[in-house]
Amino acid sequence: MTRRRRGRRAGMLCAAAISTAALAGCGASDSGSGTTTVTVFAAASLKQVFTDLGAQFEAAHPDTKVALSFAGSSDLAAQLNQGAPADVFASADTANMDKVVEDGRISEQPQPFATNVLTIVTPPGNPKNIATLADLRQPGVRAVVCAPQVPCGAATKKVTAAAQVSLSPVSEESAVTDVLAKVTSGEADAGLVYVTDAAGAGSRVTAVAFPESASAVNTYPIAAVADSKHADLAHGFEELVTGPQGRAALQKAGFGAP
């Protein structure tokens, strides 16, 4: 082998070694950077309050990062049952939590930590003069709701049944935050969301309460995932949510007590 070819081969082997080391470092779970990551799957309606609680948890646990994944509870339950790695699951209803328990991804007793009810939201000033649930059926009113498999969609089904109102929404969304986005962007004249979402939107929407909302109170449970690699931290986050600090943050955001 010539000196030039020997030099090129040595360079290639060196580059390969460096590349392999880099990949090994990227693939090393937590230990490479000295930071432990706790992955939390949480219902979309919990986004703001869990973001705040995640920051509190990180401050109390140096070298720990809370990775938050928000979506509709039915989507998160499906991901968990398909093997998605996570440490904690917080659902917007008991039905989707039960699915994960039944599949074996959660083996402990889930803890209820909050409740929520629906309200109507409209663009600021309520230009369509929506006053009741039945007003969502008026000609020219573009109403948006959650899909039936999502907790806010199941709640919508209950409240419309209680009000004896049949809606014809222009769309059914996979998360309550998507319903809110349709209203705040002007794509819808009204939507059914949780009172906490309406409160979080502030002046971007007008909230219209309706009495039938009391017929569908959603209870939120939380639990550590059975195969979590960081069980102590997972239970620590669960305790933060269910404890005094979590209760105060949830109450401030508009959630009811469990």
Side-chain angles (χ1 to χ4, degrees):
M1 183 181 294
T2 66
R3 180 180 301 175
R4 182 178 179 184
R5 290 186 65 186
R6 283 198 301 270
R8 288 182 60 191
R9 179 175 175 78
M12 291 171 66
L13 289 171
C14 182
I18 294 171
S19 177
T20 301
L23 287 172
C26 293
S29 176
D30 305 331
S31 60
S33 62
T35 300
T36 300
T37 299
V38 178
T39 301
V40 178
F41 278 20
S45 52
L46 293 165
K47 185 172 184 177
Q48 186 56 60
V49 68
F50 265 42
T51 298
D52 293 341
L53 289 174
Q56 290 183 36
F57 192 80
E58 289 177 348
H61 296 79
D63 299 324
T64 299
K65 175 179 174 56
V66 178
L68 297 160
S69 179
F70 298 104
S73 297
S74 59
D75 288 341
L76 294 173
Q79 290 175 34
L80 285 168
N81 287 345
Q82 290 167 7
D87 300 293
V88 180
F89 177 39
S91 174
D93 67 350
T94 56
N96 281 291
M97 177 63 78
D98 288 345
K99 293 177 183 177
V100 183
V101 171
E102 290 167 6
D103 204 64
R105 287 303 306 278
I106 288 174
S107 57
E108 65 179 39
Q109 180 66 39
Q111 299 300 309
F113 67 92
T115 56
N116 218 344
V117 295
L118 295 178
T119 190
I120 300 168
V121 288
T122 73
N126 192 4
K128 294 289 184 177
N129 298 313
I130 304 296
T132 68
L133 201 58
D135 288 343
L136 299 183
R137 299 185 304 178
Q138 291 180 356
V141 173
R142 298 168 299 168
V144 182
V145 300
C146 288
Q149 69 271 20
V150 184
C152 58
T156 296
K157 188 175 180 179
K158 289 181 181 178
V159 299
T160 53
Q164 297 184 334
V165 171
S166 179
L167 300 180
S168 298
V170 294
S171 71
E172 294 182 338
E173 304 298 325
S174 61
V176 68
T177 48
D178 295 334
V179 175
L180 184 65
K182 291 280 187 180
V183 176
T184 56
S185 67
E187 295 179 63
D189 302 306
L192 282 171
V193 302
Y194 295 120
V195 293
T196 53
D197 295 289
S203 61
R204 294 183 296 152
V205 299
T206 292
V208 180
F210 60 97
E212 295 85 3
S213 65
S215 65
V217 179
N218 276 27
T219 297
Y220 287 53
I222 186 171
V225 177
D227 57 1
S228 167
K229 295 180 180 179
H230 312 294
D232 289 346
L233 289 170
H235 285 110
F237 186 83
E238 180 183 357
E239 290 169 6
L240 172 65
V241 172
T242 57
Q245 287 177 278
R247 178 72 249 136
L250 289 158
Q251 185 176 17
K252 183 179 179 181
F255 288 91

